[in-house]
Amino acid sequence: MKFFCSVSIFFILVLISPALLACTSYLVTPGASVDSSAMISYAADSHIRYGELYFYKGGPQPEGSYYQMYCRSTHKPLIKVPNPSFTYSVVGYINEKQVAMGETTFGGRSGLRDTTGLMDYGGLMFLALQRSASAREAIKVIGQLVEEYGYYSDGESFSISDPNEVWIMEIIGKGTNLLYDEHKQKYYNADKGAVWVAVRIPDGYISAHANHARITNFPLEDGINSISSKSWKKINNPDVGVIYAHDVISFARKKGFFDAPDAEFSFSDVYAPVDFGAARFCEARVWSMFRKVNSEMEKYENYAMGYDLENRMPLYIKPDRKLSVQDLMSFKRDHLQGTKYDMTADIGAGPWGRPYRWRPMTWKLDGKTYFHERTTATQQTAFSFITQSRRNLPDPVGGIIWFGVDDANTTVYVPMYAGIRKAPEAYAEGNGSILEYSENSAFWTFNKVSNFSYLRYNLMLPDIQKVQSELENRYKEFVPAIDKAATELFNKDPELARDFVTDFSVKMGNYTVQRWEELFRFLMVKFIDGNLKKEENGEFVTNKYGKYPIVIHPEYPEWWLRLIVETTGDKFLYLED
């Protein structure tokens, strides 16, 4: 679907594809992390997508083999892309060279979707990971592929990392401008390709993006505007911190989007102008993360909430402290807690403090349009992850994707090493689908717990968080020991090291699902029929005869009872004799 910037984003929300306005990504450079790892995060928030851990086995590719490109939002077949002679293995969104990628869709100006394009954003990510040994190489691969085949998707922001660097890349198509080639006797798109810019996040800084383009001005004189093979030495120069399409400005002039001096060019303002919805539904998620790690972010509150669109947040900030994987897990579980926009605190949360609002996000009443907040944690997440790329360890050991399915707030992030040879059975592709329930599927098991918890959220959440912490703290303690043992094995036999990290990742993944199934059974017994069985240390308390449980009936909060009376009057008034 197209993104009409001249029309209110509220209207757009009814029309756009399920992927749009749907994901949140954080970017942390090595100098901003506690263990010098480059980290990115991603959440695939979609009402139609199934949560599974993709696995692609790399290595030498037979002549004539290809990658089938699909539109990620519809599964429409696009093109079969010939494979190179060699590809890298990919686990989820990190490859065996520790290159990792995430994305968020921002849509952008109307008319820039290339209907003849053959490169979809999702396929671009997988192809870049299969073919790239560094973040810069991934940028080059993406640029060259869209130039050769055309870009089919809406505007996208990519997070791209390797053990040394973290980049944000923003890309949008150039529309469909069909001309007739008399020699070939067929039409072609004269504007094939895409315009884009990639910016390296300075070491020691962090960034984030959440479905709105965030790159504004960038230093043209310090950048490289070509991704040809001849320019690769320049692109690979560590002093270069900006790479961009050669026509990113000239195309904007051609379309009438921009007429100021080149030095004033802003990618976001030109190709995806911000409006109230883009701020409130998208930039607010960035602000909510930034404010937790930088004491100067409160001055951007009115921008993030859509009230002062001129005071834009910076693309990246320096955090007041260094961040860990566990910090990013916490940020993925954000419902605007600690702000006046906290979704557990307004009337929409109901009597049990549920920070979720079912779609649609906007509604009309008495001729006015209203909305629900859009927070980082959301019920429709298929999967989310945090990647680590660690330069002090061998690649198969240094790369980790902490992977979770379903709602980030009630998931468990399990460490999967970049060198593994297969995904855990419970997380693997083909084990169930969004249309097929599977008893031993991680996705369906976590959905059982989360969807049950939405009934009595603030009562069930402590039980969920107890097991969540139990598992994630265990994995936090395990990883250093696994790192050490796997590195020692790698120095003796790299293949044995990959066997070792595969065994660990698979067992932890499958165990997590088993433990979550146990949690579901416990919650079902404890909270059935709106009751609450009294328990101590995980054991239910019975009467003195040991036959029946002690049952508690949690009362509704007073404000909820008063609301009932205010809206119904004396309808439920108990008449005394």
Side-chain angles (χ1 to χ4, degrees), residues 401-418:
I401 180 169
W402 295 79
F403 190 78
V405 293
D406 190 35
D407 182 349
N409 191 49
T410 52
T411 197
V412 172
Y413 288 107
V414 186
M416 307 287 176
Y417 280 84

Side-chain angles (χ1 to χ4, degrees), residues 210-243:
N211 302 118
H212 187 70
R214 302 206 64 246
I215 297 176
T216 53
N217 307 102
F218 53 92
L220 301 172
E221 65 276 9
D222 295 335
I224 298 295
N225 68 356
S226 171
I227 40 78
S228 66
S229 298
K230 292 181 180 179
S231 69
W232 175 237
K233 288 184 178 180
K234 294 182 180 179
I235 294 173
N236 213 26
N237 183 338
D239 293 331
V240 172
V242 179
I243 310 170

Side-chain angles (χ1 to χ4, degrees), residues 75-328:
H75 206 61
K76 173 186 175 181
L78 294 176
I79 189 175
K80 295 177 179 178
V81 186
N83 282 325
S85 60
F86 179 88
T87 59
Y88 298 111
S89 295
V90 182
V91 181
Y93 288 83
I94 189 170
N95 72 14
E96 62 181 290
K97 301 300 288 184
Q98 303 194 62
V99 179
M101 292 190 67
E103 60 80 28
T104 65
T105 304
F106 63 79
R109 282 187 181 270
S110 64
L112 295 183
R113 179 79 176 266
D114 178 5
T115 57
T116 70
L118 299 172
M119 284 287 119
D120 173 78
Y121 79 92
L124 278 172
M125 295 170 71
F126 292 127
L127 286 176
L129 289 169
Q130 291 170 15
R131 300 172 180 216
S132 305
S134 70
R136 292 170 188 260
E137 192 169 7
I139 294 166
K140 185 186 78 165
V141 167
I142 291 171
Q144 290 178 335
L145 285 172
V146 297
E147 189 174 282
E148 180 177 358
Y149 295 100
Y151 180 63
Y152 183 74
S153 298
D154 295 293
E156 286 287 334
S157 298
F158 293 123
S159 303
I160 311 175
S161 65
D162 62 30
N164 300 302
E165 298 182 324
V166 178
W167 290 72
I168 179 171
M169 179 181 187
E170 297 191 326
I171 182 172
I172 192 167
K174 297 192 286 189
T176 306
N177 179 18
L178 292 180
L179 297 179
Y180 188 70
D181 186 327
E182 293 186 359
H183 178 69
K184 296 182 178 180
Q185 293 190 334
K186 67 178 183 179
Y187 286 93
Y188 69 98
N189 182 11
D191 289 332
K192 185 177 74 170
V195 287
W196 53 270
V197 59
V199 175
R200 181 183 61 195
I201 308 303
D203 197 36
Y205 286 73
I206 65 171
S207 186
H209 53 92
N211 302 118
H212 187 70
R214 302 206 64 246
I215 297 176
T216 53
N217 307 102
F218 53 92
L220 301 172
E221 65 276 9
D222 295 335
I224 298 295
N225 68 356
S226 171
I227 40 78
S228 66
S229 298
K230 292 181 180 179
S231 69
W232 175 237
K233 288 184 178 180
K234 294 182 180 179
I235 294 173
N236 213 26
N237 183 338
D239 293 331
V240 172
V242 179
I243 310 170
Y244 56 94
H246 67 91
D247 58 349
V248 68
I249 299 178
S250 61
F251 178 76
R253 293 189 186 282
K254 170 185 170 182
K255 298 292 288 185
F257 301 155
F258 180 69
D259 61 4
D262 285 1
E264 297 178 16
F265 178 79
S266 163
F267 185 90
S268 175
D269 291 319
V270 168
Y271 289 113
V274 65
D275 63 6
F276 177 84
R280 191 62 173 250
F281 298 145
C282 306
E283 294 283 76
R285 284 178 270 156
V286 175
W287 172 79
S288 189
M289 182 269 202
F290 278 6
R291 64 180 290 273
K292 294 176 182 177
V293 298
N294 185 293
S295 58
E296 299 180 357
M297 292 308 298
E298 297 306 321
K299 63 186 177 184
Y300 296 107
E301 177 179 341
N302 283 341
Y303 163 73
M305 296 303 154
Y307 303 125
D308 180 6
L309 300 182
E310 300 300 316
N311 186 33
R312 293 197 64 163
M313 286 185 296
L315 175 61
Y316 45 79
I317 64 169
K318 191 173 183 64
D320 295 337
R321 59 181 175 84
K322 294 192 176 185
L323 306 181
S324 67
V325 170
Q326 288 68 36
D327 285 320
L328 268 61

